[in-house]
Amino acid sequence: MKMQHAVAKKANYVNGLDTDAAAATIAAIKADKSLAKFQFRAVNKWVSGGENRSTIRDFYGAGQDDTSRTVPFEFTNGEPPVLLGNNEGANPVEFLLHALAGCVTTTFVLHAMARGIHIQELSSELVGDIDLQGLLGLDDGVFPGYEQIRIRFKVKADCTDAELDDLLGYTQKQSPVCNTVCRPVPVVIERASA
Amino acid sequence: MKMQHAVAKKANYVNGLDTDAAAATIAAIKADKSLAKFQFRAVNKWVSGGENRSTIRDFYGAGQDDTSRTVPFEFTNGEPPVLLGNNEGANPVEFLLHALAGCVTTTFVLHAMARGIHIQELSSELVGDIDLQGLLGLDDGVFPGYEQIRIRFKVKADCTDAELDDLLGYTQKQSPVCNTVCRPVPVVIERASA
């Protein structure tokens, strides 16, 4: 992963991604698989009611703690009035859609680059259905989470429709957030003393 | 859900939540289960490379389209340099941690209110492990998504540790984002003409 810094004299960009840096990253991981191990982190603090705030900065990856972010990202969860809040922010299930949209998009763009496909335009619309009887504990037969999430994916690129469909199918399998949603991923919660 | 507007003369708040409005919401859903059906939405537009932006505003719930948000929320996904970006924003798998932190927190706060538990302080730290060989398609035996997410949950409230542990166990089951991560949720992607 360090090699990307060594390349860069005259970078070739496809879809806004540096193809030499990407090739160097893949070569580095093939030589040492442990470089592919990442750990992402967030710290969250409750404010009041449905309002809480996350701070995101450091992560571990490519064999070291990342120090590229001098200022942390901050995001506020909130709820709309109908869910007892004041729209202090988007709500957590909406942030999940943002995460999913972004991950599918970036995964598509990355593997398009790997296939030499140049993307001109790309957008997506997501809808997710949820029955709040689950959250509220009113019906044990209702899942608290999303029943289903649908993505309408629009893309314009220099390839055939068949190639786009193939790439989109591959994207769906390889996207980390999509895979986290589609597959059961263990969440371990441990209570620490306050 | 409309009833919350009718109450409100002298609201009782526990953990920053209006208990009368909450009771009215639950009564309304018990009388008409269709009021619990919500649909959340996001629109995302690719910028370049690993940068893309979501707009979130409208949703359907409580029997109607919500119009409480006059200005949409906007969030930018980005990637750090080691992942070929320029830290244009947090990345999608980090936004997923933010969504999860917020949902577990709000679910805990809501059910604490229902149990008459008053929270003084609440914070959480999340870490998620991911092996990027999955995203990159370098090893079919590696899941592209999170292997596991761990949450360290700190809470100070006017109840016993046993009551906190019981509430936390319940929260883990009822939180919509936690349930979406822990359970396989179908994601349907359809390609539309650009």
Side-chain angles (χ1 to χ4, degrees), chain A residues 54 98 134 165 172 174 191, chain B residues 54 98 134 165 172 174 187 191:
Chain A
S54 295
H98 165 62
D165 288 335
Q172 177 156 17
Q174 307 305 128
R191 194 171 63 76
Chain B
S54 295
H98 166 63
D165 288 334
Q172 178 157 17
Q174 306 306 128
V187 175
R191 194 170 63 76

Side-chain angles (χ1 to χ4, degrees), chain A:
Chain A
M1 319 284 256
K2 282 176 199 159
M3 290 181 226
Q4 65 176 288
H5 302 295
V7 180
K9 247 184 269 171
K10 199 174 137 191
N12 292 310
Y13 284 87
V14 174
N15 302 332
L17 295 171
D18 181 338
T19 56
D20 298 322
T25 297
I26 291 186
I29 289 175
K30 281 184 175 168
D32 178 359
K33 291 179 178 191
S34 75
L35 295 177
K37 298 237 173 238
F38 277 63
Q39 182 182 80
F40 294 101
R41 301 162 187 159
V43 175
N44 184 280
K45 202 166 161 32
W46 176 57
V47 179
S48 178
E51 183 182 358
N52 59 72
R53 200 158 295 141
S54 295
T55 304
I56 291 172
R57 196 183 67 174
D58 303 330
F59 63 88
Y60 174 88
Q64 57 190 11
D65 278 308
D66 183 84
T67 56
S68 68
R69 297 158 169 178
T70 48
V71 179
F73 298 112
E74 281 196 13
F75 307 108
T76 299
N77 282 298
E79 294 292 349
V82 71
L83 296 173
L84 310 178
N86 296 299
N87 283 323
E88 303 88 348
N91 77 12
V93 290
E94 291 176 317
F95 271 108
L96 177 66
L97 296 184
H98 165 62
L100 180 60
C103 195
V104 168
T105 297
T106 297
T107 303
F108 188 89
V109 168
L110 176 71
H111 286 289
M113 175 208 71
R115 296 180 182 197
I117 295 172
H118 295 72
I119 301 172
Q120 283 121 32
E121 286 173 33
L122 199 174
S123 64
S124 57
E125 295 171 21
L126 287 80
V127 298
D129 298 311
I130 200 160
D131 186 328
L132 293 190
Q133 291 182 91
L135 162 67
L136 296 169
L138 297 179
D139 185 340
D140 286 347
V142 171
F143 289 125
Y146 275 118
E147 295 161 41
Q148 189 189 66
I149 299 172
R150 294 187 301 286
I151 306 180
R152 219 174 122 80
F153 199 83
K154 278 191 202 173
V155 57
K156 218 165 114 178
D158 67 345
C159 66
T160 66
D161 280 1
E163 285 169 315
L164 286 182
D165 288 335
D166 185 70
L167 178 55
L168 191 52
Y170 187 71
T171 294
Q172 177 156 17
K173 281 188 295 186
Q174 307 305 128
S175 156
V177 174
C178 192
N179 180 260
T180 300
V181 169
C182 291
R183 181 173 60 87
V185 171
V187 176
V188 178
I189 310 184
E190 172 209 359
R191 194 171 63 76
S193 325

Side-chain angles (χ1 to χ4, degrees), chain B residues 9-152:
Chain B
K9 248 184 268 171
K10 199 174 135 191
N12 292 310
Y13 284 87
V14 174
N15 302 332
L17 295 170
D18 181 338
T19 56
D20 298 323
T25 298
I26 291 187
I29 289 175
K30 281 184 175 168
D32 179 358
K33 292 180 177 191
S34 76
L35 294 177
K37 298 236 174 238
F38 277 63
Q39 182 182 81
F40 293 101
R41 301 164 187 156
V43 175
N44 184 280
K45 203 166 160 32
W46 176 58
V47 180
S48 179
E51 183 181 359
N52 59 74
R53 199 160 294 141
S54 295
T55 304
I56 290 172
R57 196 183 69 174
D58 303 330
F59 63 89
Y60 175 88
Q64 57 190 12
D65 278 307
D66 184 83
T67 56
S68 68
R69 296 158 171 179
T70 48
V71 178
F73 297 111
E74 281 196 12
F75 307 106
T76 300
N77 283 299
E79 294 291 350
V82 72
L83 296 173
L84 310 177
N86 297 299
N87 282 324
E88 304 89 347
N91 78 11
V93 290
E94 292 176 315
F95 271 109
L96 177 67
L97 295 184
H98 166 63
L100 180 61
C103 195
V104 168
T105 297
T106 297
T107 303
F108 188 91
V109 168
L110 177 71
H111 285 291
M113 176 207 70
R115 296 180 182 197
I117 295 172
H118 295 72
I119 301 172
Q120 283 120 31
E121 286 172 34
L122 200 174
S123 63
S124 57
E125 295 172 21
L126 288 79
V127 297
D129 298 310
I130 200 161
D131 186 329
L132 294 189
Q133 290 182 91
L135 161 66
L136 296 169
L138 298 179
D139 185 341
D140 286 348
V142 171
F143 288 125
Y146 275 118
E147 295 162 41
Q148 189 190 65
I149 298 172
R150 294 186 301 286
I151 306 180
R152 219 175 123 80

